[in-house]
């Protein structure tokens, strides 16, 4: 099997019924009983040893399990309605469960996304957390990966690179640096998807997705779905300030290929620049224009000196 996306394409992409948006976007869209609206739904699994370390702060894990799912709602421009939580646990540690549930509920409350069900089992080894979210969006306003158009600006919300650096410090593939870990750790463990910004982009921006596997790979999904290309300028990217002292190759890899960002990459008509800047200010989320959608296929990254950058790593894939 070539990769995660080939696996999904081969086995789990049979067509959805008419009126549904099926596999292939950040959320599926379903008919809603509320006139003029569609239901948006998405699910994400977090597996111990793969998505989090066994000794992670359980309060942070509760937060992140919901945050990565809210991120998919925000990528469609949807408003949260409710969520489900499935837990598979090797033991029932009351302190762990207390902290985990407090972290989960704190974000659920803040986001208007009440927990309304789930499932709990004992695992053979390790913790697995599965969350499913439901949201709603006006018919015709969802931000689809397939909607980018040549000439669109490409935007990114928040900053890039910090979660990947924190991950590499915790994995010890970067030399120990307590100050750098302190500056990047919350980006990895407590992502804050820009729900309000996403909602304000519905019906305004063209394509969008959330950056979970790395900017280049995720932007690649938009380009493939929209059958177009892009040019981005490295010097325009919102590099997280915590990365300032790092060697440029380390920085580049984290910014272009680092996952776990849970911010938006979206495209929008040039005429929407002012609107997008003001919605960013209103929701206290940095929004940065990083390049342009092109009619011709391919992704060109222009370096500081104008010469093209050949990326060292494209992003995360579970099966390659
Ligand atoms: P995201 O990063 O937004 O969660 P993924 O890259 O994980 O999305 O998945 C890509 C698409 O494939 C999504 O539309 C997702 O719903 C779908 N998908 C992933 N795994 C499966 C599966 N086992 N069965 C059906 N659809 C799947
Ligand atoms: Mg997504």
């Amino acid at each position: 099997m070539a990769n995660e996306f080939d696996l999904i394409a081969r086995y789990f992409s049979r067509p959805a019924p008419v009126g549904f948006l099926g596999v292939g976007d950040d959320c599926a869209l379903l008919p809603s009983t509320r006139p003029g609206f569609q239901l948006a739904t998405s699910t994400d699994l977090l597996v111990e040893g793969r998505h989090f370390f066994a000794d992670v702060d359980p309060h942070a894990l509760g937060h992140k399990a919901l945050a990565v799912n809210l991120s998919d709602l925000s990528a469609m421009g949807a408003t949260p309605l409710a969520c489900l939580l499935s837990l598979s646990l090797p033991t029932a540690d009351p302190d762990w469960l207390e902290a985990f549930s407090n972290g989960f509920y704190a974000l659920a409350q803040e986001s208007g996304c009440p927990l309304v069900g789930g499932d709990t089992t004992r695992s053979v080894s390790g913790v697995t957390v599965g969350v499913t979210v439901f949201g709603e969006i006006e018919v015709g306003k969802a931000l689809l990966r397939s909607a980018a158009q040549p000439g669109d600006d490409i935007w990114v919300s928040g900053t890039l690179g910090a979660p990947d650096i924190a991950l590499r410090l915790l994995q010890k593939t970067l030399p120990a640096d307590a100050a750098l870990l302190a500056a990047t750790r919350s980006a990895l463990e407590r992502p804050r998807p820009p729900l309000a910004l996403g909602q304000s982009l519905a019906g305004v921006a063209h394509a969008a997705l959330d950056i979970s596997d790395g900017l280049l790979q995720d932007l690649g999904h938009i380009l493939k779905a929209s059958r177009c290309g892009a040019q981005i300028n490295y010097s325009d990217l919102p590099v997280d300030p915590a990365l300032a002292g790092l060697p440029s190759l380390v920085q580049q890899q984290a910014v272009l290929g680092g996952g776990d960002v849970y911010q938006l990459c979206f495209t929008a008509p040039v005429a929407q620049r002012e609107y997008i800047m003001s919605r960013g200010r209103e929701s206290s989320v940095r929004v940065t224009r990083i390049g342009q959608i092109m009619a011709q296929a391919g992704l060109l990254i222009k370096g500081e000196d104008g010469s093209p950058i050949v990326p060292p790593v494209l992003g995360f894939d579970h099966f390659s």
Side-chain angles (χ1 to χ4, degrees):
M1 189 52 61
N3 68 37
E4 175 189 347
F5 303 104
D6 294 338
L7 185 158
I8 297 165
R10 171 148 180 203
Y11 295 104
F12 301 110
S13 297
R14 297 186 195 183
V18 175
F20 289 59
L21 177 71
V23 169
D25 221 301
D26 294 288
C27 291
L29 298 174
L30 323 179
S32 165
T33 50
R34 184 176 172 196
F37 284 80
Q38 285 177 299
L39 271 183
T41 183
S42 180
T43 193
D44 265 301
L45 272 181
L46 298 184
V47 177
E48 180 179 314
R50 173 138 313 267
H51 299 98
F52 60 92
F53 297 98
D55 62 353
V56 71
D57 172 2
H59 190 282
L61 182 62
H63 171 101
K64 184 164 178 175
L66 180 55
V68 302
N69 282 276
L70 292 172
S71 182
D72 282 322
L73 288 179
S74 105
M76 302 300 281
T79 303
L81 279 177
C83 63
L84 304 172
L85 168 63
S86 295
L87 275 178
S88 186
L89 304 169
T91 55
D93 174 346
D95 293 335
W96 192 95
L97 283 162
E98 184 69 26
F100 177 90
S101 62
N102 285 337
F104 192 97
Y105 271 109
L107 184 61
Q109 167 125 32
E110 188 188 311
S111 323
C113 191
L115 176 63
V116 295
D119 195 22
T120 305
T121 65
R122 187 189 282 270
S123 74
V124 178
S125 85
V127 172
T128 299
V129 187
V131 175
T132 301
V133 284
F134 302 93
E136 63 177 1
I137 175 97
E138 272 182 71
V139 172
K141 291 200 173 172
L143 305 170
L144 306 184
R145 292 180 179 187
S146 56
Q149 289 176 22
D152 278 1
D153 290 323
I154 304 171
W155 296 77
V156 162
S157 70
T159 64
L160 297 168
D164 188 60
I165 294 300
L167 178 65
R168 296 186 56 192
L169 288 167
L170 292 169
Q171 287 172 333
K172 302 186 171 31
T173 56
L174 278 179
D177 183 334
L180 186 58
L181 181 58
T184 54
R185 191 166 192 162
S186 72
L188 176 67
E189 295 185 345
R190 294 178 184 274
R192 307 209 62 91
L195 277 167
L197 177 70
Q199 287 159 37
S200 71
L201 296 175
V204 172
H206 284 160
L209 48 50
D210 64 322
I211 304 172
S212 52
D213 297 330
L215 173 67
L216 294 190
Q217 179 168 309
D218 287 322
L219 176 57
H221 293 318
I222 290 183
L223 302 184
K224 190 172 174 202
S226 301
R227 298 164 194 275
C228 52
Q231 182 175 311
I232 61 177
N233 302 312
Y234 188 83
S235 55
D236 290 340
L237 296 179
V239 178
D240 195 281
L243 276 57
L246 288 168
S248 64
L249 261 182
V250 174
Q251 192 186 93
Q252 225 177 70
Q253 174 159 349
V255 166
L256 296 174
D260 272 311
V261 176
Y262 301 109
Q263 289 286 339
L264 302 179
C265 174
F266 59 97
T267 83
V270 170
Q272 297 294 349
R273 284 180 186 174
E274 280 304 313
Y275 172 85
I276 291 166
M277 294 300 291
S278 77
R279 290 296 92 82
R281 282 192 296 274
E282 223 162 68
S283 54
S284 306
V285 177
R286 179 168 167 184
V287 284
T288 309
R289 262 190 301 125
I290 65 164
Q292 229 187 9
I293 295 291
M294 318 291 274
Q296 199 187 342
L299 173 54
L300 178 69
I301 311 155
K302 279 216 268 182
E304 251 116 333
D305 59 1
S307 62
I309 294 180
V310 179
V313 166
L314 275 176
F316 190 77
D317 179 327
H318 277 282
F319 290 99
S320 69

